[in-house]
């Protein structure tokens, strides 16, 4: 099988954008909306974890690292992720900059602790993803409550749980189409 990590990551990000704005049919039970995974955050986690090892043609310009790199790679990644978050804000109709701040925070954490996160088992990664998505959803709920008076509910907990349960599938697909992650 020919490995095409750049193409795979492009498809994952595009599908995540589509699934993020996809609404369930009206005749489906309304409680299913609470169990929607955070597709974009999962794609972002997969993208940031795999980028240091695999650079496709699309991402090579953004993430090329050389000996004289003084942190510009991290800044380029954060700016790219922030712009992706601004695009998601326009798709979702959320306050401008909310997803950009969330995506940049998650990306900074993943880049900062990349070496340690590569050593985690799948279960530890699932727990880490649960915690990250739960905290980002609490931040999102707080911002939406402050700006739009949206009431608080259990959605941050259910979104984090469904995303955590979906992570093994994301990880398996990445291993199949990109290859196993290299542990440092």
């Amino acid at each position: 099988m020919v490995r095409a990590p750049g193409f795979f990551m492009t498809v994952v990000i595009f599908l995540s954008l589509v699934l993020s704005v996809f609404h369930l049919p009206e005749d489906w039970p309304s409680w299913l909306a609470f169990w929607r995974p955070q597709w974009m955050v999962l794609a972002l986690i997969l993208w940031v974890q795999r980028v240091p090892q695999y650079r496709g043609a699309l991402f090579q310009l953004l993430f090329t690292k050389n000996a004289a790199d003084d942190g510009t790679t991290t800044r380029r990644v954060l700016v790219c992720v922030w712009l992706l978050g601004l695009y998601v804000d326009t798709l979702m109709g959320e306050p401008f900059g909310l997803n950009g701040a969330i995506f940049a925070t998650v990306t900074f954490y993943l880049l900062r602790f990349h070496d340690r996160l590569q050593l985690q088992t799948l279960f530890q990664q699932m727990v880490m993803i649960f915690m990250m998505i739960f905290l980002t959803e609490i931040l999102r709920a707080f911002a939406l409550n402050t700006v739009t008076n949206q009431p608080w509910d259990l959605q941050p907990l259910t979104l984090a749980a469904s995303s955590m349960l979906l992570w093994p599938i994301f990880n398996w697909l990445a291993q199949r189409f990109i290859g196993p992650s290299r542990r440092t």
Side-chain angles (χ1 to χ4, degrees), residues 34-86:
F34 282 94
W35 290 94
R36 248 178 121 170
Q38 283 299 322
W39 298 104
M40 278 307 302
V41 178
L42 286 174
L44 180 71
I45 292 168
L46 185 67
W47 183 29
V48 173
Q49 278 190 338
R50 297 298 178 144
V51 164
Q53 287 90 12
Y54 304 102
R55 296 181 182 100
L58 177 63
F59 305 113
Q60 189 170 11
L61 176 65
L62 291 171
F63 305 111
T64 302
K65 194 170 189 173
N66 56 29
D69 186 14
D70 58 348
T72 56
T73 302
T74 301
R75 287 192 292 272
R76 282 184 280 182
V77 171
L78 290 175
V79 167
C80 179
V81 167
W82 186 279
L83 292 174
L84 180 66
L86 293 178

Side-chain angles (χ1 to χ4, degrees), residues 27-170:
D27 58 342
W28 286 30
S30 61
W31 60 268
L32 284 176
F34 282 94
W35 290 94
R36 248 178 121 170
Q38 283 299 322
W39 298 104
M40 278 307 302
V41 178
L42 286 174
L44 180 71
I45 292 168
L46 185 67
W47 183 29
V48 173
Q49 278 190 338
R50 297 298 178 144
V51 164
Q53 287 90 12
Y54 304 102
R55 296 181 182 100
L58 177 63
F59 305 113
Q60 189 170 11
L61 176 65
L62 291 171
F63 305 111
T64 302
K65 194 170 189 173
N66 56 29
D69 186 14
D70 58 348
T72 56
T73 302
T74 301
R75 287 192 292 272
R76 282 184 280 182
V77 171
L78 290 175
V79 167
C80 179
V81 167
W82 186 279
L83 292 174
L84 180 66
L86 293 178
Y87 181 68
V88 171
D89 286 333
T90 59
L91 286 177
M92 303 294 288
E94 293 181 346
F96 203 59
L98 177 62
N99 283 306
I102 288 171
F103 292 175
T105 303
V106 168
T107 302
F108 180 77
Y109 171 78
L110 291 171
L111 289 173
R112 175 72 173 91
F113 298 107
H114 180 269
D115 295 336
R116 292 180 187 156
L117 296 174
Q118 288 297 319
L119 298 175
Q120 290 181 343
T121 65
L122 183 61
F123 179 74
Q124 290 170 329
Q125 289 177 7
M126 290 171 64
V127 170
M128 182 236 0
I129 286 170
F130 176 83
M131 294 301 291
M132 274 197 306
I133 292 178
F134 181 68
L135 291 174
T136 60
E137 289 305 311
I138 290 289
L139 175 68
R140 181 187 317 275
F142 175 74
L144 291 175
N145 180 277
T146 303
V147 174
T148 63
N149 290 329
Q150 180 178 336
W152 290 88
D153 52 19
L154 292 177
Q155 195 166 12
L157 183 63
T158 58
L159 291 174
S162 63
S163 300
M164 175 190 73
L165 294 174
L166 193 66
W167 177 249
I169 297 170
F170 263 69

Side-chain angles (χ1 to χ4, degrees), residues 9-34:
M9 291 310 302
T10 304
V11 168
V12 166
I13 290 172
F14 178 73
L15 285 175
S16 296
L17 284 169
V18 170
L19 290 172
S20 293
V21 297
F22 179 75
H23 291 288
L24 295 174
E26 289 184 22
D27 58 342
W28 286 30
S30 61
W31 60 268
L32 284 176
F34 282 94

